[in-house]
Amino acid sequence: MAEKIRHQLFLPKPVSDRLETLAAKPGASKSAILTDAVTAWLNRRGASELEDRFGIRLDRLTAAIGRLERDGHIQLETIALFVRYELAIHAPLAENDHAGRAIAAKRFEAFIAQVGRQIAAGRRTIGSTEPSQ
């Protein structure tokens, strides 16, 4: 059995009356009710301390994730508008234009290779201070 310490405390009359009513029920005691109430209050206070300790940091992380999400949407919209523009201004190649299709395929492969090199090297084209290759 855990060691118990006697406490003397004063309660306002309405709170004391409610405690008396609860303690009058079978299987309930004032000590058990007050122990549960104080434990719950201390647990909530502990949760509040965690919120105080980590809340600011979590708020910063949430803001940073929000900025990343916004930037991703901006990038996707930029690419989508560019592709739409390019498709609108360039006429499609004729079915029998094999030379044009070969050139387009080589350009596309070069583009994909450049993207791969940039990502592998960790370089950025937009926002970087040095020119890309």
Side-chain angles (χ1 to χ4, degrees), residues 12-41:
K13 177 78 170 123
V15 174
S16 179
D17 292 342
R18 289 176 66 193
L19 179 61
E20 290 288 340
T21 303
L22 285 174
K25 294 181 180 178
S29 70
K30 290 179 188 177
S31 292
I33 294 168
L34 290 174
T35 298
D36 290 344
V38 170
T39 301
W41 185 86

Side-chain angles (χ1 to χ4, degrees), residues 75 111 114-115 117-119 122-133:
Q75 291 168 353
F111 170 74
Q114 179 64 26
V115 169
R117 284 192 301 272
Q118 291 288 101
I119 291 172
R123 292 188 302 248
R124 295 176 53 141
T125 301
I126 298 174
S128 64
T129 56
E130 58 189 56
S132 63
Q133 299 181 36

Side-chain angles (χ1 to χ4, degrees), residues 28 35 53 108:
T35 298
R53 181 177 279 181
F108 182 74

